[in-house]
Amino acid sequence: MKRSFKWRFRILSAAIPVLATQLSLAALPVTVDGEPLPSLAPLLEQVTPSVVNVYTRTRVRVRSPLMEDPFFRRFFNFPDTPRERVSQSLGSGVIVDAAEGFVLTNNHVIAGADDISITLADGRSFEAKVIGTDPDTDLAMVRIPAEDLQALQFADSSQLRVGDFVVAVGNPFGLGQTVTSGIVSALGRAGFRGLEFQNFIQTDASINPGNSGGALINLRGELVGINSAIFTPSGGNVGIGFAIPSAMARYVMAQLSEFGEVRRGTLGISVQDLTADLAVALDLQKGQGVLVSEVAEGSAAEKAGLQAGDAIRTIDSYTVRSAQEFHNLEGQFPVGETLALQIVRDQSEKTLKVKVEELQSLDGGEVDARLAGTRFEELPLKARSSGIKGVLISGLEPDSQLGRSGFRLGDIVTGCNRMTIQNLNEFKDVISAVRGSLFLEILRGGKGYVVRVD
């Protein structure tokens, strides 16, 4: 193998002068029929100053197993305090507000970081402050104290079509700002674990580790998506990358800048995909709406007259093709906004006006002192549409009794002392009726557990 490698190296080396001569004789023309050749360079000169590199540092305390043994700790004079290990990671970001210094990136790029550093295309570096994060969409926004910034303009990602040319800009593998190009391969991709709202743009523009949080732009230099993930069997790019649509990113950005979090509402219904059989029965085509499977009592949908069995075709002129798409749209409208729902009932079309209501939540301490420091709220649509019943733990103080008992954010309480819990009202009634220890039944990652709380 070693001899073969040298032979190939010599052949390649000898070919260089020949290739150079051929290239000099066959250089690309500057123009064709008097017209300059197309180039992305003028576009990128306007765009690349808006894309930044993100570097994070996370301090993790580690302790050797030997340090847990008092004999070894005393005999070898081990310090009693754990050592500190610094973990570093990298990603990309997009300047979305030059005046405020707002930079949009992925939540997974900065999650848990102690220090966040932003390096601009001109070489300047700044320490960043987190404005807010939204794990449900994998988006986060930070602020840098910088002047003379250039923000990217948002495009309407709903106008994207499969086949449109796009360009990805980011910091793959920490190499520095890198540009790749491709097309939109598919739209509306979903089915990824850990994300509540999914409507990904799929592209074959090369996206690699480090590109997360970078920009996906159209040929007008407008932001159409935030690069977020890749599908890969090997860890590298295979031409299947995913970006969060700019429409979703813009809504999240507005919420984070105003509240520091995303405040989503609900219509109070559960929906399911419209199967072929159901579509025939309703005189619709498959993929032309979603079926209402349940309407919560006292919800905005019930007040508006929506019924189980109705087929919803559009929300405020947005066409609904699947339960996931309905879920994305429901989470995109602010609390208090009134939406026009076009429905089909008994083979006739109707339009109903429904107001987006805030998800009901409850401080556990109001029901039982042992639940203080824990916030419970109604389940989001995606969980309800999957047939899950219960209440969600949306806030948890580490020093609270549930925090010390091993509960986690995102746990779903489905029952207590062998009594089922379907919503917040039942949660209050069941907990109030218990005398003695609470045996809370929870759902976590598809598995059920029972935890005793005294």
Side-chain angles (χ1 to χ4, degrees):
M1 290 296 293
K2 187 175 182 181
R3 184 176 180 181
S4 175
F5 173 78
K6 288 184 176 179
W7 178 80
R8 287 199 301 270
F9 180 76
R10 285 198 297 270
I11 294 296
L12 289 170
S13 299
I16 290 175
V18 178
L19 289 172
T21 303
Q22 290 175 342
L23 287 173
S24 64
L25 294 174
L28 286 171
V30 178
T31 61
V32 175
D33 296 331
E35 295 293 328
L37 286 178
S39 171
L40 293 174
L43 166 72
L44 295 172
E45 288 173 358
Q46 301 299 316
V47 168
T48 51
S50 302
V51 183
V52 303
N53 300 340
V54 181
Y55 301 94
T56 66
R57 288 164 55 91
T58 305
R59 298 176 185 86
V60 181
R61 291 184 175 272
V62 293
R63 183 188 289 270
S64 169
L66 294 177
M67 294 177 64
E68 301 298 330
D69 190 312
F71 171 77
F72 276 96
R73 196 164 58 237
R74 184 173 61 254
F75 186 80
F76 291 103
N77 197 26
F78 282 160
D80 194 38
T81 56
R83 291 175 298 172
E84 188 176 83
R85 177 171 57 86
V86 177
S87 173
Q88 301 186 53
S89 107
L90 54 90
S92 307
V94 181
I95 300 172
V96 290
D97 189 323
E100 295 291 338
F102 288 157
V103 175
L104 205 59
T105 185
N106 284 140
N107 178 65
H108 75 258
V109 170
I110 67 164
D114 294 304
D115 303 306
I116 304 170
S117 176
I118 302 293
T119 300
L120 306 182
D122 60 14
R124 290 182 292 164
S125 292
F126 300 90
E127 292 300 313
K129 176 185 176 183
V130 177
I131 298 300
T133 63
D134 183 34
D136 286 339
T137 57
D138 192 26
L139 287 170
M141 191 163 68
V142 300
R143 171 185 275 153
I144 55 174
E147 298 180 351
D148 299 323
L149 296 176
Q150 182 176 319
L152 266 185
Q153 298 299 311
F154 281 84
D156 182 1
S157 55
S158 66
Q159 301 302 311
L160 274 179
R161 298 175 301 171
V162 174
D164 284 349
F165 285 101
V166 287
V167 178
V169 187
N171 177 30
F173 300 107
L175 294 172
Q177 197 169 84
T178 301
V179 178
T180 56
S181 64
I183 63 168
V184 173
S185 306
L187 296 167
R189 291 299 195 205
F192 299 90
R193 285 187 175 185
L195 294 178
E196 189 72 25
F197 300 93
Q198 303 182 31
N199 185 28
F200 287 102
I201 302 165
Q202 182 181 325
T203 179
D204 67 349
S206 184
I207 296 175
N208 286 289
N211 272 107
S212 292
L216 190 71
I217 61 171
N218 60 21
L219 296 187
R220 290 187 294 274
E222 300 165 329
L223 184 70
V224 297
I226 300 292
N227 299 323
S228 183
I230 59 174
F231 174 80
T232 171
S234 61
N237 172 64
V238 293
I240 304 178
F242 302 96
I244 300 165
S246 59
M248 185 179 289
R250 173 180 274 179
Y251 168 73
V252 171
M253 168 193 163
Q255 290 275 303
L256 294 180
S257 62
E258 184 174 358
F259 306 113
E261 61 181 359
V262 178
R263 298 180 179 178
R264 293 187 172 91
T266 181
L267 301 179
I269 61 175
S270 299
V271 300
Q272 66 184 64
D273 289 330
L274 201 58
T275 64
D277 291 340
L278 289 172
V280 171
L282 295 169
D283 197 22
L284 296 171
Q285 292 183 10
K286 183 180 178 182
Q288 280 196 343
V290 293
L291 188 71
V292 178
S293 57
E294 183 181 353
V295 180
E297 185 179 349
S299 66
E302 186 186 53
K303 296 171 186 174
L306 205 63
Q307 300 175 9
D310 290 343
I312 301 175
R313 298 188 64 181
T314 65
I315 302 179
D316 258 19
S317 76
Y318 291 97
T319 302
V320 180
R321 303 177 187 86
S322 66
Q324 177 67 58
E325 194 166 15
F326 180 88
H327 180 55
N328 293 335
L329 289 169
E330 183 188 44
Q332 191 169 305
F333 292 102
V335 174
E337 186 163 339
T338 300
L339 309 179
L341 271 60
Q342 184 186 32
I343 69 167
V344 176
R345 180 188 298 166
D346 299 329
Q347 297 186 338
S348 61
E349 291 190 359
K350 295 183 179 183
T351 299
L352 301 178
K353 300 286 187 179
V354 185
K355 187 176 182 180
V356 181
E357 294 183 331
E358 189 172 2
L359 275 170
Q360 293 183 23
S361 62
L362 172 72
D363 186 346
E366 297 176 8
V367 183
D368 190 298
R370 292 169 290 187
L371 304 182
T374 307
R375 178 156 289 276
F376 301 88
E377 69 177 36
E378 296 284 10
L379 288 179
L381 170 68
K382 189 174 182 180
R384 299 197 308 270
S385 297
S386 301
I388 300 173
K389 305 294 183 182
V391 294
L392 179 73
I393 295 181
S394 59
L396 182 65
E397 295 179 6
D399 292 334
S400 65
Q401 190 159 348
L402 292 195
R404 294 193 303 270
S405 299
F407 285 79
R408 301 177 187 172
L409 284 175
D411 284 346
I412 298 173
V413 180
T414 59
C416 178
N417 294 48
R418 298 184 178 181
M419 292 180 281
T420 59
I421 293 172
Q422 298 195 40
N423 49 48
L424 274 181
N425 288 332
E426 287 191 7
F427 176 78
K428 289 187 286 187
D429 293 341
V430 168
I431 298 297
S432 300
V434 172
R435 297 293 178 265
S437 299
L438 299 174
F439 291 89
L440 295 176
E441 302 164 24
I442 65 170
L443 187 65
R444 177 190 298 165
K447 296 182 179 180
Y449 304 88
V450 177
V451 183
R452 177 175 174 170
V453 180
D454 292 315

